[in-house]
Amino acid sequence: MGLGPQLIQEQVMRNQKNFRRVVFAVIGAGAVATAFGVGPAQAAGNSTTINPSGAHAKAQNIGNVTIAVGSYTVTCTGLTSTGQVPVAPANHNASGPVAVAIGVPTFSGCSINAPFESVTVTANATNGAWSLSAQNGSPITGSLNIPKAGVTATISGLLNCSVVAAPTGPASVSGTFTNGTNSTTNPSYAQASSSVPLSITGGGCPTDTSGTIAGKIGVYDTDNTATAITVSK
């Protein structure tokens, strides 16, 4: 049996009410997934070293990245990015964070439990490179830098919207980092929670929002799985 016009309109109104926070969550999930050392921007302070020097790294989600927004949940099942630790002495800063260039993230399996809606998320480096910084401390903190308009989410269904993260300039994602012992059974990982500005276009779609996401992202040394990517003084 098909939906009547009144029922469809009521569903659209409910989706619009929660849409802004849900869409932020999807954008944030993609951003979080790219970094190993995600955290708040740091002023000069503690000495920081990322090891092993020059190691190639992969960041990948440990379990799903999930976002709870009222009765809605966004889940991304696949989140990955690659990068390389700077070669010594560039992997050390005597009085502040160490910056690491990373590749454009890819992610898959993102869904929303809203009726009649689907989500596709893509990232790019059109307006600048992706990067992160990490700083030793208790806890270890840092900052993931998203280039201008670096992530786009396309929502399809009763609503048809294009959502761009960091629309007017670079933005950061924040969290903490925990050192592991190896890149197989006990990898280092980032636990992140943060927000980014959004620009939303499309008929009947909201225009701005903020929200909360949560995710655990493992970091793996792809040159030597017996070694973990670690942050120290």
Side-chain angles (χ1 to χ4, degrees):
M1 180 174 64
L3 295 174
Q6 182 176 355
L7 180 58
I8 292 175
Q9 180 63 28
E10 289 174 354
Q11 183 63 57
V12 170
M13 292 176 66
R14 284 194 295 271
N15 284 358
Q16 287 176 333
K17 182 177 180 180
N18 293 283
F19 178 74
R20 283 175 289 181
R21 288 175 295 171
V22 172
V23 165
F24 161 76
V26 176
I27 293 291
V32 169
T34 67
F36 62 84
V38 190
Q42 296 297 303
N46 295 335
S47 171
T48 300
T49 304
I50 301 179
N51 278 314
S53 164
H56 293 87
K58 177 180 72 174
Q60 185 171 342
N61 56 306
I62 299 175
N64 294 333
V65 175
T66 60
I67 308 95
V69 183
S71 61
Y72 291 93
T73 299
V74 173
T75 302
C76 289
T77 61
L79 299 164
T80 60
S81 183
T82 59
Q84 184 175 12
V85 176
V87 176
N91 67 326
H92 174 76
N93 186 339
S95 60
V98 173
V100 179
I102 59 173
V104 176
T106 61
F107 43 96
S108 60
C110 293
S111 62
I112 179 173
N113 67 336
F116 320 117
E117 303 296 337
S118 62
V119 180
T120 301
V121 184
T122 58
N124 70 82
T126 302
N127 298 306
W130 290 72
S131 66
L132 63 89
S133 63
Q135 183 163 340
N136 184 51
S138 183
I140 301 168
T141 57
S143 179
L144 167 68
N145 302 310
I146 305 168
K148 176 182 175 182
V151 182
T152 299
T154 302
I155 312 300
S156 301
L158 294 179
L159 297 173
N160 290 279
C161 305
S162 178
V163 184
V164 178
T168 61
S172 296
V173 177
S174 62
T176 60
F177 182 84
T178 299
N179 287 326
T181 59
N182 62 71
S183 292
T184 53
T185 61
N186 186 29
S188 299
Y189 65 88
Q191 193 81 47
S193 178
S194 191
S195 64
V196 294
L198 302 176
S199 174
I200 305 174
T201 57
C205 299
T207 59
D208 63 316
T209 190
S210 63
T212 302
I213 61 94
K216 182 178 181 180
I217 309 302
V219 184
Y220 304 84
D221 183 343
T222 58
D223 294 330
N224 183 1
T225 59
T227 302
I229 304 292
T230 60
V231 179
S232 60
K233 64 181 181 179

